[in-house]
Amino acid sequence: MDAAEFRRRGKEMVDHVADYLEKIEERPVYPDVEPGYLRSLIPTEAPVEPDSYEDIMKDVERVIMPGITHWHSPNFFAYFPAASSYPAMLADMLCAAIGCIGFSWAASPACTELETVMLDWLGKMLQLPECFLAGTHGHGGGVIQGTASEATLVSLLAARCKAIRRVQSLDPKKSEAEILSKLVAYTSEQAHSSVERAALIGAVMMKKVPTDNLYAVRGEMLKKILEEDKAAGLIPFYFCATLGTTPSCAFDHIADLGPLCNQENMWMHIDAAYAGSAFICPEFRPLLNGVEYADSFNFNPHKWMLINFDCSAMWVKKRTDIIGAFKMEPLYLKHENQESGLVTDYRHWQIPLGRRFRSLKMWFVFRMYGLQGLQAHIRKQVGLAKEFESLVRADKRFEICAPVVMGLVCFRLKGTNELNQSLLKKITKSREIHLVPCQLSGSFVLRLAICSRSTESRHIQQAWQHITQLAFELLQEHHH
Amino acid sequence: MDAAEFRRRGKEMVDHVADYLEKIEERPVYPDVEPGYLRSLIPTEAPVEPDSYEDIMKDVERVIMPGITHWHSPNFFAYFPAASSYPAMLADMLCAAIGCIGFSWAASPACTELETVMLDWLGKMLQLPECFLAGTHGHGGGVIQGTASEATLVSLLAARCKAIRRVQSLDPKKSEAEILSKLVAYTSEQAHSSVERAALIGAVMMKKVPTDNLYAVRGEMLKKILEEDKAAGLIPFYFCATLGTTPSCAFDHIADLGPLCNQENMWMHIDAAYAGSAFICPEFRPLLNGVEYADSFNFNPHKWMLINFDCSAMWVKKRTDIIGAFKMEPLYLKHENQESGLVTDYRHWQIPLGRRFRSLKMWFVFRMYGLQGLQAHIRKQVGLAKEFESLVRADKRFEICAPVVMGLVCFRLKGTNELNQSLLKKITKSREIHLVPCQLSGSFVLRLAICSRSTESRHIQQAWQHITQLAFELLQEHHH
């Protein structure tokens, strides 16, 4: 395919993309395929001679679409949103064309520098304390990670390295292995599974801190465990706080937890993967108070800020903490400006070496929406969640299971877990809307998250009508 | 921006992309900017109200392009290639539109299933042993990782888990910390820095194995170190072999190393990040002989197989080895088919949770090029490297520093390292071509890698003319 053919096929693809998204509501949101469906639909080997482009595009509809869960359908309410917007897609086309691999400043200065400045822009939108920004002379700064899981892992590894050095500076006879075996990380019992996984990768112990009746960790809960663990000779070194937990969008009390972590020489990382986007609205910003005590902070613009996956924004107070944990300098990656102190080589900030020019997506989205446009998006989706909450509250058969703060509603039929499992099964099977469950205090709970940019009030009303209809059928069956 | 505007802007962007790539040769390959150049060119904060799209596109030329290292210029010969092709770009547009996050089968069955089948297609192209394929009943299978660094890390972590379990099964009294402190991983002294970094992350010791005069590790070299280490009470558990090292594209002797690793209960991972693509050509396939002894194998189609970054292909012989090392099962990620044994949940195979629909790029590229088209691409680029090699060999002032097997030529002026450093400085400063150096046996060596899909014989001839002209000037200066 040469440039001339790409001009033609590319324009067709632009229309294809617009058609898909404009008509997405007509498709069942959840696919009706059995495991292994795809293998029999295509050849067992790659072709030796080229296939025609027409055949490939026909196969997109024949082979791929029947197996797609349509994350951007207005009837998709599962997990958390995956962001999507036209400006981000345009920027990604440009990113593919430039196709630079921005592991160091020299590998494409614009790729590194736009990222640093975009993370400063975004940090200012969130009113992050100055110390997290790169500015022109700062010690902090931001980086785009692929996912929140990677941000958590990077922070845990940086904390591990710092803790080992600190303990060894106090007692040089202690071996690294000995220290490692005594390090303990902490997180909420409501934290995302990736936090526990980071500890598994980093070969350190991790303990779950119990939460209050709103599923949030409070200072006194962490303090109690720390006292016990220190008395047992363990070395607490890391706490991952969550702002907006995955099950119920609960908020740990970072303003209490932060001073405690600082006092105990523990790294505090804040994972605000979903909720972070909302902190650009003044009415939600108080939930971030206490961030000034954190060593690192992360959220996913690719969830709720209209920037297509992947784009996870992470800031650190001292970039040397992160760089020091990872730095490797082979000659083929050296360049003349790297020791000047003026440049950032982002490969030291992350797990992979290679990286795409992802800040282009931020730049396009921030400029095409403006801060007001982004705030309007957040507020609209929170409004839709509140609308759904009112519908649930008005129906005595149902209950709301956690405060509705942002775009997530946790609810259930009053009754057994089995009943609610049956309801979810019916919903999944009907394929009109798509939800996933969570567990709260032993209860099986349904989660409705406002996800798609195209979800409107009528979809919320329809979704509720659909759910109550299925619940009605279910309760009828149970009475027989 | 609504769908109608996207249709217009998207088509403009398609032309913009085609224009950029068609005229890329007119741009200096390496940018002439100082560290920090970008910050002063744009505002210090995001706009509150939207900017116009025209202004953004003007800024792409004003702000971004001056700071780009043009990886797809025919005059770019640095690092290793970053793949790029029009079919891959089209597939990525579709991927952005679908915008699913394929962490589990249920999150989009097509995303998971196409990936499994594409890795089987690719495995067959490479003539990988059947045990690495998923097939319909296999124990092995492939996965797309973001980068080779992640594949190495995943394999090391799986090996670590397996080793700890094995040692504990023999001696249940040994603590995990004790075993961990005795585990040793090995790799070539020529291996990529990411291998050493994987050990750092995994908190295990890593030792470098010396290489022969062609920069390759041989069985006897590893064997010698293993004997010493075992005698000292250490537990060898992992060897990362390299096929196509970054400095000189050397090939470890896996047919000798493999049986040794098997016998010692060590996991053998093969990192063929760059060279792996060439194994689809029968004339290069013998270099992969011995892969049957490996536990995992990885290469980057995003380097040399026309699939835009990121797309790193990894296969394992026993997928349970990898899944077992990472599995976490919160309720919000469970789905009804997961215990059926029929589905793959790729989140257990990788570091991040989220993942894009990257197999679409493979599908489009494999079908639009066909196996023959991909082979032709490899052969053409190897031919260009051979052409450059002949030019160097015909000039008595220069020497070739390592065998030219694929698309990389390592060469230098006969003389001091300082002389060669000066030559590279002149090359970099002239901005007509772009190279990076490496170190081989203490010598400072220039690396010329055939990178861009648009590089032709005339670019090789011009590059050599340019290099010899600068060398001539340099040698003149030295004589004064």
Side-chain angles (χ1 to χ4, degrees):
Chain A
M1 186 180 284
D2 60 10
E5 196 187 346
F6 173 71
R7 286 177 200 269
R8 184 156 70 96
R9 299 308 188 183
K11 289 165 193 174
E12 288 172 16
M13 186 60 89
V14 166
D15 279 327
H16 189 92
V17 165
D19 288 346
Y20 169 70
L21 291 171
E22 281 195 311
K23 295 179 198 155
I24 197 166
E25 199 172 339
E26 297 167 15
R27 298 178 188 263
V29 59
Y30 189 67
D32 187 9
V33 294
E34 292 298 311
Y37 89 96
L38 185 140
R39 192 177 283 273
S40 62
L41 298 178
I42 65 174
T44 55
E45 291 185 33
V48 174
E49 311 261 359
D51 285 349
S52 82
Y53 187 75
E54 286 81 2
D55 283 348
I56 297 173
M57 289 308 293
K58 267 183 225 154
D59 281 351
V60 168
E61 206 52 52
R62 182 181 68 91
V63 177
I64 304 300
M65 284 300 160
I68 294 289
T69 304
H70 298 283
W71 283 61
H72 303 289
S73 162
N75 300 316
F76 180 91
F77 302 107
Y79 314 110
F80 271 137
S84 174
S85 73
Y86 292 121
M89 285 186 227
L90 293 171
D92 238 6
M93 289 164 68
L94 184 60
C95 166
I98 293 173
C100 64
I101 312 294
F103 42 72
S104 68
W105 182 85
S108 240
C111 177
T112 294
E113 296 203 6
L114 187 66
E115 184 163 333
T116 306
V117 179
M118 284 306 103
L119 272 287
D120 275 3
W121 278 22
L122 185 53
K124 287 176 189 171
M125 286 192 230
L126 298 168
Q127 297 180 49
L128 281 188
E130 187 81 19
C131 55
F132 286 104
L133 306 185
T136 43
H137 305 290
H139 298 290
V143 60
I144 302 176
Q145 302 283 356
T147 58
S149 316
E150 288 161 84
T152 305
L153 177 58
V154 164
S155 68
L156 180 132
L157 294 173
R160 188 185 71 179
C161 178
K162 204 175 172 177
I164 291 173
R165 285 181 196 160
R166 184 173 55 81
V167 176
Q168 280 189 327
S169 76
L170 298 172
D171 183 356
K173 270 175 289 174
K174 274 208 173 124
S175 74
E176 206 169 304
E178 196 184 340
I179 300 167
L180 196 64
S181 71
K182 300 222 178 304
L183 292 180
V184 197
Y186 303 84
T187 196
S188 165
E189 59 181 17
Q190 294 287 318
H192 194 270
S193 55
S194 57
V195 181
E196 200 178 340
R197 213 156 171 266
L200 194 67
I201 293 170
V204 292
M205 217 180 305
M206 175 158 271
K207 297 197 174 185
K208 301 288 188 69
V209 186
T211 55
D212 65 15
N213 60 345
L214 296 179
Y215 309 109
V217 173
R218 295 175 168 277
E220 66 258 34
M221 294 157 165
L222 178 60
K223 198 178 164 92
K224 188 167 166 287
I225 303 183
L226 292 183
E227 296 307 330
E228 292 166 10
D229 285 350
K230 285 192 295 178
L234 297 176
I235 309 168
F237 80 105
Y238 176 86
F239 175 65
C240 177
T242 310
L243 295 181
T245 58
T246 307
S248 69
C249 201
F251 294 81
D252 289 344
H253 293 243
I254 55 171
D256 296 344
L257 291 158
L260 177 62
C261 290
N262 290 176
Q263 184 186 315
E264 299 287 343
N265 272 315
M266 289 167 69
W267 184 294
M268 181 163 86
H269 174 68
I270 298 175
D271 170 12
Y274 164 67
S277 297
F279 301 146
I280 62 170
C281 300
E283 66 273 31
F284 291 117
R285 179 57 179 79
L287 288 164
L288 187 58
N289 290 346
V291 67
E292 59 274 20
Y293 301 110
D295 296 281
S296 51
F297 170 70
N298 166 252
F299 83 99
N300 291 344
H302 70 228
K303 277 200 167 67
W304 207 14
M305 208 180 244
L306 298 165
I307 299 171
N308 288 50
F309 186 86
D310 51 347
C311 181
S312 182
M314 179 188 193
W315 290 264
V316 287
K317 240 184 214 164
K318 284 194 194 156
R319 50 185 156 191
T320 48
D321 283 344
I322 285 210
I323 296 168
F326 290 120
K327 207 167 182 179
M328 301 268 161
E329 293 283 14
L331 186 58
Y332 49 82
L333 293 177
K334 281 202 172 155
H335 56 89
E336 51 171 18
N337 281 302
Q338 71 180 21
E339 302 306 339
S340 66
L342 297 171
V343 307
T344 297
D345 286 338
Y346 274 126
R347 68 195 156 92
H348 303 308
W349 297 52
Q350 60 175 21
I351 304 295
L353 172 62
R355 52 205 329 274
R356 298 165 74 230
F357 196 165
R358 292 176 291 201
S359 57
L360 282 175
K361 291 186 288 197
M362 299 181 118
W363 199 40
F364 273 55
V365 167
F366 295 163
R367 295 183 69 183
M368 288 300 291
Y369 281 88
L371 176 58
Q372 283 182 353
L374 297 172
Q375 288 171 334
H377 172 68
I378 299 289
R379 287 170 180 148
K380 175 182 167 183
Q381 296 215 321
V382 175
L384 292 171
K386 298 277 186 193
E387 181 178 342
F388 187 81
E389 181 192 11
S390 321
L391 294 169
V392 177
R393 286 198 189 277
D395 189 324
K396 294 279 171 275
R397 296 168 300 176
F398 285 86
E399 60 188 341
I400 291 288
C401 310
V404 178
V405 182
M406 294 189 174
L408 177 69
V409 185
C410 290
F411 68 106
R412 67 196 301 275
L413 272 171
K414 290 171 186 163
T416 63
N417 284 350
E418 291 66 35
L419 185 70
N420 282 282
Q421 280 162 353
S422 301
L423 177 58
L424 184 64
K425 257 193 189 149
K426 270 180 179 287
I427 292 171
T428 305
K429 216 178 150 188
S430 79
R431 301 175 204 285
E432 289 192 25
I433 63 172
H434 190 48
L435 307 180
V436 293
C438 69
Q439 196 159 29
L440 292 174
S441 311
S443 286
F444 185 92
V445 169
L446 278 64
R447 287 169 84 261
L448 183 136
I450 309 297
C451 289
S452 169
R453 192 167 48 82
S454 60
T455 301
E456 302 289 345
S457 172
R458 68 183 167 90
H459 301 107
I460 299 301
Q461 297 291 335
Q462 282 163 14
W464 179 242
Q465 211 164 27
H466 180 64
I467 292 166
T468 49
Q469 175 61 33
L470 295 179
F472 176 77
E473 289 170 22
L474 183 69
L475 294 168
Q476 291 282 50
E477 290 162 26
H478 271 246
H479 287 177
H480 288 292
Chain B
M1 185 178 285
D2 60 10
E5 196 187 347
F6 173 72
R7 287 176 200 269
R8 184 155 70 95
R9 299 308 187 184
K11 289 166 193 175
E12 287 172 16
M13 185 60 89
V14 166
D15 279 326
H16 189 92
V17 166
D19 289 345
Y20 169 71
L21 290 171
E22 281 195 310
K23 296 180 198 155
I24 197 165
E25 200 173 338
E26 296 167 15
R27 300 178 186 263
V29 59
Y30 190 68
D32 187 10
V33 294
E34 292 297 311
Y37 88 96
L38 186 141
R39 192 178 284 273
S40 62
L41 297 179
I42 64 174
T44 55
E45 290 186 34
V48 174
E49 310 261 358
D51 285 349
S52 82
Y53 187 75
E54 286 80 2
D55 283 348
I56 296 174
M57 287 310 291
K58 267 184 225 154
D59 281 351
V60 168
E61 206 52 52
R62 183 180 68 90
V63 177
I64 304 300
M65 284 300 159
I68 295 288
T69 304
H70 298 283
W71 282 61
H72 303 290
S73 162
N75 301 315
F76 181 90
F77 302 106
Y79 315 110
F80 271 137
S84 174
S85 72
Y86 292 120
M89 286 185 225
L90 292 170
D92 239 5
M93 289 164 68
L94 185 61
C95 167
I98 293 174
C100 65
I101 311 293
F103 42 71
S104 69
W105 182 85
S108 238
C111 178
T112 294
E113 297 204 6
L114 187 66
E115 183 162 332
T116 305
V117 179
M118 284 305 104
L119 271 289
D120 274 3
W121 277 22
L122 184 54
K124 287 176 190 172
M125 285 193 232
L126 298 169
Q127 297 180 50
L128 280 188
E130 187 81 19
C131 55
F132 286 104
L133 306 185
T136 42
H137 305 290
H139 298 290
V143 59
I144 302 175
Q145 302 283 354
T147 57
S149 316
E150 288 162 85
T152 305
L153 177 58
V154 164
S155 68
L156 181 132
L157 295 172
R160 186 184 73 178
C161 178
K162 204 175 172 177
I164 290 172
R165 285 183 196 160
R166 185 174 54 82
V167 176
Q168 280 190 326
S169 76
L170 298 172
D171 183 356
K173 270 174 288 173
K174 273 205 174 122
S175 75
E176 206 169 304
E178 196 185 340
I179 300 168
L180 197 63
S181 72
K182 300 224 179 303
L183 292 181
V184 197
Y186 303 85
T187 196
S188 165
E189 60 182 16
Q190 294 286 319
H192 193 270
S193 56
S194 56
V195 181
E196 200 177 341
R197 210 155 173 267
L200 194 69
I201 293 169
V204 291
M205 218 180 302
M206 174 159 271
K207 297 199 175 183
K208 301 287 188 72
V209 185
T211 55
D212 64 16
N213 60 347
L214 296 178
Y215 309 108
V217 173
R218 295 176 168 274
E220 65 257 36
M221 295 156 163
L222 178 60
K223 197 178 165 95
K224 189 168 166 286
I225 304 183
L226 293 183
E227 297 307 331
E228 291 166 11
D229 285 351
K230 284 192 298 178
L234 298 175
I235 309 168
F237 82 106
Y238 176 86
F239 175 65
C240 177
T242 311
L243 295 181
T245 58
T246 307
S248 69
C249 201
F251 294 81
D252 289 344
H253 292 243
I254 54 170
D256 295 344
L257 291 158
L260 178 61
C261 290
N262 289 176
Q263 185 187 314
E264 299 287 341
N265 272 315
M266 290 166 68
W267 184 293
M268 181 163 87
H269 175 67
I270 298 175
D271 170 12
Y274 164 67
S277 297
F279 301 147
I280 62 168
C281 300
E283 66 272 31
F284 292 117
R285 178 58 178 76
L287 289 164
L288 188 58
N289 289 346
V291 66
E292 58 273 21
Y293 302 111
D295 296 282
S296 52
F297 169 72
N298 167 252
F299 84 98
N300 290 345
H302 70 230
K303 278 201 166 68
W304 206 15
M305 208 179 243
L306 299 164
I307 300 171
N308 287 50
F309 187 87
D310 52 345
C311 181
S312 182
M314 179 187 194
W315 290 265
V316 288
K317 241 184 214 161
K318 283 195 195 156
R319 51 184 157 193
T320 47
D321 284 343
I322 286 210
I323 296 168
F326 291 120
K327 207 167 180 177
M328 300 268 162
E329 295 283 14
L331 186 58
Y332 49 82
L333 293 177
K334 281 200 174 159
H335 56 90
E336 42 169 29
N337 282 302
Q338 72 181 20
E339 301 307 339
S340 66
L342 297 171
V343 307
T344 298
D345 286 339
Y346 274 126
R347 69 196 155 92
H348 303 308
W349 296 54
Q350 59 175 21
I351 305 296
L353 172 62
R355 53 205 328 275
R356 298 166 74 230
F357 197 165
R358 292 176 291 201
S359 57
L360 282 175
K361 293 188 284 197
M362 298 182 120
W363 199 41
F364 273 55
V365 167
F366 295 163
R367 296 184 67 182
M368 287 301 290
Y369 281 89
L371 177 59
Q372 283 182 353
L374 298 173
Q375 289 171 334
H377 172 68
I378 299 289
R379 287 171 180 150
K380 176 182 167 182
Q381 297 214 321
V382 175
L384 293 171
K386 298 279 185 191
E387 181 178 343
F388 187 81
E389 181 192 11
S390 321
L391 293 168
V392 177
R393 286 200 190 276
D395 189 322
K396 295 279 172 273
R397 296 168 300 176
F398 285 87
E399 59 188 342
I400 290 288
C401 309
V404 178
V405 182
M406 294 186 174
L408 177 69
V409 184
C410 290
F411 69 105
R412 69 195 302 275
L413 272 171
K414 290 170 184 164
T416 62
N417 283 350
E418 290 66 33
L419 185 70
N420 282 283
Q421 279 163 352
S422 302
L423 176 59
L424 184 64
K425 259 195 187 145
K426 271 181 178 287
I427 293 171
T428 304
K429 216 176 150 189
S430 81
R431 301 174 205 287
E432 289 193 26
I433 62 173
H434 190 49
L435 307 179
V436 293
C438 70
Q439 196 159 29
L440 292 174
S441 312
S443 286
F444 185 92
V445 169
L446 279 64
R447 288 170 83 262
L448 183 135
I450 308 297
C451 289
S452 169
R453 194 166 47 81
S454 60
T455 301
E456 302 289 345
S457 172
R458 68 183 168 88
H459 301 107
I460 300 301
Q461 297 291 334
Q462 283 163 14
W464 179 242
Q465 212 163 27
H466 180 63
I467 292 167
T468 49
Q469 175 62 33
L470 295 179
F472 176 77
E473 289 170 22
L474 183 69
L475 293 168
Q476 289 283 52
E477 290 163 24
H478 271 246
H479 286 178
H480 290 290

